[in-house]
Amino acid sequence: MDHKEGVYKVRDLGLADEGRLLIEWAESRMPVLMKLREEYAKTQPFKGYKITGCLHVTKETAVLIETLQACGAEVAWSGCNPLSTNDAVAAALADNGIQIYAWYGQNVDDFYWCIDRTIDKTPHTTLDDGADLIFRVHSTFPEKAEGILGGSEETTTGVHRLRAMADDGKMLYPVYAVNDAETKWDFDNVYGTGQSTLDGILRASSVLLAGKNFVVAGYGHCGRGVAMRAKGMGSNVIATEIKPTAALKATLEGNRVMTMDEACEVGDIFVTATGMKDVIRGEHFLKMKDGAIVCNTGHYDVEIDLVALNELAVSKRTIRTDNVEYTLENGRRIYVLADGRLVNLAAAEGHPSEVMDMSFANQFQAHLRLIQAHEAGELTRDGVVLDLPEELDQEIARIKLGTMGIEIDALTDEQVTYATDYSAGT
Ligand code: 9W1
């Protein structure tokens, strides 16, 4: 471990060059953040402010961190998950003067030790993915909250927990719900999960998708993203649902819809994306075809009943990385990818940089708004969950389109009048 007290603690500084190449690769795919960096490096809006973050230490997060730094911030960071830190990226960040405390495979004590070292810096704003940093400030260092102007939260779950805390009157400063921006949740869930899930399946199995019966359990945003991409690769997609409107959407979008009881007999590949436990159970495994592949991209590792599968299996062996073969008494083989954990994270690399570009542009804007409002004397001290304005989604989407060389139309003056003048009738 490489540790410089009060400055950084990472696995191995020797990995810095490797990490720098990964960060440069991500930079070339994150044009919105790079544009914000170029624009605000000139005016240094974060000069004199300390931003503390707790978010997966990935090549994409590094682009966010270095953008905040380039715009004047003093940044201190920890990872928000013991298994998501890329040690090479962490080394490159330490090498570039970022106060970073993160390494792959840390235990729970290390995890909180790292967060605490960033809180030591007495931040002006906090940036979270899962709200661990905010909760740690509130539970263990409430005196630090006095100096904190506000924060931001990346995830659905984190925002949910913060709303509950705000409703109880327990939140000590305002927090932007970055998750709730359309350019975050809609793109992240649909296009991020869609592609990374297929990426994970292919890395762990290398099967041909064309011509396969591809079963997606749950046709929410994630399921829909997965279904769209599987269809694009030539699979015949089958969706299972419990919600009538979602099932109807799946049907009208060209998928077959059936119960899991039916689907388990015909499916070649199964992906769960429901958020519910025990979606694929013992009774389903027993009816599956020989060679069926089963994986999860929904809630952690509860959607596939592996306890039941282990009981039904007469033998079990690892075929390749993230791919375990279970042989049942009927002689049929079932392949479980990534032990039923999130296949897009465990067997692939999470969301592509191009998708994180928009999520992190929202993060940047949340902190910019907190500091601008503070300087204008307009920032509330109330413990409330704040929404980013709808116009910001349009601005971020417009910049993204611009970087892709895509222009769109604008209404003519006559059209604006037509749209707003109700006296004109029909
Ligand atoms: N977030 N940069 C694993 C990611 C774990 C992970 C997790 C992402 C990103 C969903 C955030 C092994 C990146 C992250 C690479 C990786 C997430 C959990 C990102 C997708 C969410 C629980 N949640 N995310 N890139 N691990 O892709 O910051 O490779």
Side-chain angles (χ1 to χ4, degrees):
M1 209 70 76
D2 280 319
H3 186 191
K4 189 165 173 190
E5 210 162 310
V7 186
Y8 60 75
K9 188 168 178 181
V10 297
R11 174 74 63 193
D12 177 7
L13 272 186
L15 298 170
D17 289 348
E18 187 190 320
R20 180 51 54 191
L21 292 175
L22 290 173
I23 297 171
E24 284 180 23
W25 174 253
E27 282 175 351
S28 75
R29 312 285 135 175
M30 301 180 82
V32 180
L33 266 186
M34 295 307 281
K35 193 157 192 274
L36 291 169
R37 184 186 295 191
E38 192 187 323
E39 184 177 340
Y40 291 103
K42 295 178 202 136
T43 51
Q44 296 282 299
F46 297 125
K47 187 106 209 142
Y49 292 97
K50 287 183 258 180
I51 301 178
T52 285
C54 178
L55 202 159
H56 308 288
V57 178
T58 63
K59 58 190 185 302
E60 291 80 22
T61 302
V63 179
L64 170 63
I65 293 173
E66 292 187 339
T67 300
L68 295 168
Q69 183 196 42
C71 302
E74 181 185 329
V75 185
W77 215 265
S78 67
C80 67
N81 182 302
L83 298 178
S84 64
T85 295
N86 182 315
D87 286 325
V89 168
L93 289 169
D95 192 52
N96 184 32
I98 303 293
Q99 304 171 65
I100 177 142
Y101 301 85
W103 57 93
Y104 180 84
Q106 54 185 204
N107 63 31
V108 175
D109 288 344
D110 292 335
F111 181 78
Y112 287 106
W113 182 87
C114 288
I115 293 179
D116 292 356
R117 295 298 72 74
T118 68
I119 299 173
D120 285 348
K121 311 291 175 192
T122 314
H124 294 98
T125 60
T126 61
L127 191 157
D128 259 284
D129 178 310
D132 286 311
L133 172 57
I134 293 179
F135 285 134
R136 189 74 176 164
V137 166
H138 283 72
S139 66
T140 315
F141 305 96
E143 72 285 357
K144 295 276 187 189
E146 281 164 38
I148 298 178
L149 307 171
S152 65
E153 166 56 39
E154 172 87 1
T155 66
T156 312
T157 327
V159 168
H160 195 77
R161 292 161 78 194
L162 290 171
R163 283 234 160 78
M165 190 161 136
D167 289 346
D168 276 353
K170 295 280 160 58
M171 211 152 78
L172 298 173
Y173 56 83
V175 182
Y176 271 108
V178 168
N179 179 72
D180 296 2
E182 191 184 351
T183 43
K184 196 279 178 184
W185 66 267
D186 210 11
F187 290 78
D188 199 288
N189 287 336
V190 183
Y191 312 103
T193 307
Q195 176 166 313
S196 59
T197 300
L198 291 208
D199 187 9
I201 293 170
L202 291 177
R203 290 193 203 195
S205 73
S206 74
V207 290
L208 179 71
L209 294 174
K212 295 284 162 52
N213 288 331
F214 193 110
V215 180
V216 180
Y219 204 77
H221 292 98
C222 294
R224 188 169 147 252
V226 173
M228 263 165 57
R229 296 308 178 231
K231 185 176 179 183
M233 293 291 276
S235 289
N236 303 305
V237 179
I238 297 167
T240 71
E241 253 301 338
I242 54 153
K243 193 176 174 188
T245 49
L248 192 56
K249 270 183 209 165
T251 307
L252 300 200
E253 283 174 11
N255 306 286
R256 274 188 293 167
V257 173
M258 56 182 83
T259 62
M260 184 56 81
D261 213 41
E262 295 171 280
C264 68
E265 294 187 16
V266 295
D268 297 301
I269 300 165
F270 296 81
V271 180
T272 54
T274 67
M276 182 44 64
K277 70 172 196 160
D278 296 342
V279 177
I280 299 181
R281 301 181 290 271
E283 70 220 60
H284 302 127
F285 292 125
L286 286 172
K287 292 195 223 160
M288 283 181 189
K289 299 199 285 192
D290 182 36
I293 294 171
V294 178
C295 65
N296 166 52
T297 196
H299 192 63
Y300 301 103
D301 58 356
V302 301
E303 306 210 5
I304 301 167
D305 188 354
L306 287 181
V307 174
L309 182 57
N310 272 292
E311 278 168 12
L312 292 170
V314 293
S315 68
K316 174 181 168 182
R317 58 181 182 154
T318 298
I319 284 284
R320 50 188 283 175
T321 307
D322 292 315
N323 188 334
V324 174
E325 177 191 74
Y326 291 78
T327 304
L328 306 188
E329 215 161 310
N330 60 20
R332 294 186 202 150
R333 293 158 299 179
I334 293 169
Y335 297 88
V336 176
L337 308 185
D339 295 319
R341 290 174 292 118
L342 292 131
V343 72
N344 63 326
L345 309 180
E349 285 176 64
H351 300 329
S353 307
E354 290 88 337
V355 173
M356 298 312 294
D357 188 26
M358 292 198 286
S359 307
F360 289 167
N362 281 294
Q363 285 285 5
F364 181 95
Q365 288 285 355
H367 288 258
L368 188 62
R369 267 148 223 268
L370 286 169
I371 280 160
Q372 284 173 342
H374 165 68
E375 291 187 344
E378 289 164 3
L379 188 64
T380 163
R381 281 300 302 154
D382 304 341
V384 288
V385 177
L386 303 170
D387 281 321
L388 289 163
E390 218 268 322
E391 307 86 74
L392 184 61
D393 276 321
Q394 299 310 329
E395 192 185 314
I396 289 174
R398 189 178 289 281
I399 298 172
K400 189 77 169 174
L401 286 166
T403 64
M404 299 164 91
I406 297 168
E407 281 181 56
I408 61 172
D409 287 323
L411 292 179
T412 63
D413 291 345
E414 290 74 19
Q415 286 174 317
V416 171
T417 308
Y418 175 79
T420 52
D421 180 9
Y422 56 86
S423 70
T426 49

